[in-house]
Structures are given as C-alpha cells and as structure tokens.
C-alpha cells in the first residue's frame, strides 16, 4: 500500500489554487453588487470600443484580410520574443548562434517582402 501522505503538499497546493482562483472570480462580482456597479443603464450599455453603433449583425464573418494581418502580427511578435533572449546571450553563444539568427531574420524579411508584394498589408 503506497504512502498517501506524500500527496498532501499537492492537495494543499490545489486547494490554495482553487481558493485563490475562485476568489479572483467571485470577489469582483460581489464588490460590484455591493457598490452598485452592476446596475445597467443606457450609458453603460453604449458602445465604448469604436465609438459608434455596429452597422450589421455582430455574428457576421470577418474579412479574411483581418485574419491575415493577425497572423502576420503573431509571426513578427514571435520574432521579437525569440530575438530578445538571443540578444542577451549572443556573446556567449558564438558565431553559430549569430549566423543562425541572421538566417532566421532573413527568412522573416523575405516573408514580409512577399506579403507586402502580394498586398496582404494593404487595408482598403
């Protein structure tokens, strides 16, 4: 029979995590109820992101160009995420790391030029 007391720290950790996560979810709701922030009115329900009412059904499909720009943003955001740790440790890694990163940046630059030439960055 295994010794189940070894699992006690894991159960305590899960209990604390469950307690904290439910506190982060339910405490703001409780505070909103107590302070009156949950009461809807016309000003609270108005559009605040773009400043004007939507023209059509909000469940309509987006234009594919929106997704292309989003994918390009993710690609170049990942490039920045890879570039920072490399820049911090480039002097200890040597020439191989420098050459491989230059190849990586050149591939991304070629992809950017290709997307630019195809008109993926043009927004009409």
């Amino acid at each position: 029979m295994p010794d189940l007391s070894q699992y006690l720290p894991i159960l305590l950790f899960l209990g604390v995590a469950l307690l904290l996560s439910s506190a982060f979810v339910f405490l703001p709701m409780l505070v909103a109820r107590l302070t009156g922030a949950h009461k809807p009115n016309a000003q609270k329900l108005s559009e605040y992101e773009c400043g004007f009412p939507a023209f059509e059904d909000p469940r309509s499909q987006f234009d594919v160009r929106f997704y292309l720009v989003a994918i390009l943003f993710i690609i170049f955001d990942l490039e920045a995420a890879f570039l920072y740790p490399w820049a911090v440790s480039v002097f200890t890694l040597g020439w191989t790391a420098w050459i491989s990163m230059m190849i990586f940046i050149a591939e991304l630059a070629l992809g950017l030029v290709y997307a630019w030439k195809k008109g993926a960055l043009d927004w009409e």
Side-chain angles (χ1 to χ4, degrees), residues 64-82:
V64 72
R65 290 176 291 184
F66 173 78
Y67 296 110
L68 289 175
V69 170
I71 289 171
L72 287 172
F73 172 76
I74 289 172
I75 288 171
F76 289 105
D77 189 42
L78 285 176
E79 176 191 8
F82 284 132

Side-chain angles (χ1 to χ4, degrees), residues 6-7 13 27 29-30 40 45 52 54 60-61 63 68 84 92 109 112 115-117 120:
Q6 294 175 350
Y7 292 106
F13 178 77
L27 277 179
M29 290 185 205
L30 179 68
L45 297 176
F52 54 87
S60 65
Q61 292 183 348
D63 191 8
L68 289 175
Y84 181 74
T92 60
L112 178 62
W116 200 331
K117 293 291 183 185

Side-chain angles (χ1 to χ4, degrees), residues 7-23:
Y7 292 106
L8 184 63
I10 296 172
L11 289 175
L12 287 174
F13 178 77
L14 287 175
V16 169
L18 184 65
L19 183 76
L20 284 176
S21 61
S22 24

Side-chain angles (χ1 to χ4, degrees), residues 14-61:
L14 287 175
V16 169
L18 184 65
L19 183 76
L20 284 176
S21 61
S22 24
F24 284 139
V25 170
F26 294 116
L27 277 179
M29 290 185 205
L30 179 68
V31 170
R33 292 264 179 206
L34 294 176
T35 61
H38 76 284
K39 296 177 183 169
N41 61 28
Q43 189 173 9
K44 284 185 184 178
L45 297 176
S46 66
E47 296 80 15
Y48 61 90
E49 290 179 352
C50 60
F52 54 87
F55 295 122
E56 53 193 45
D57 185 25
R59 291 178 295 276
S60 65
Q61 292 183 348

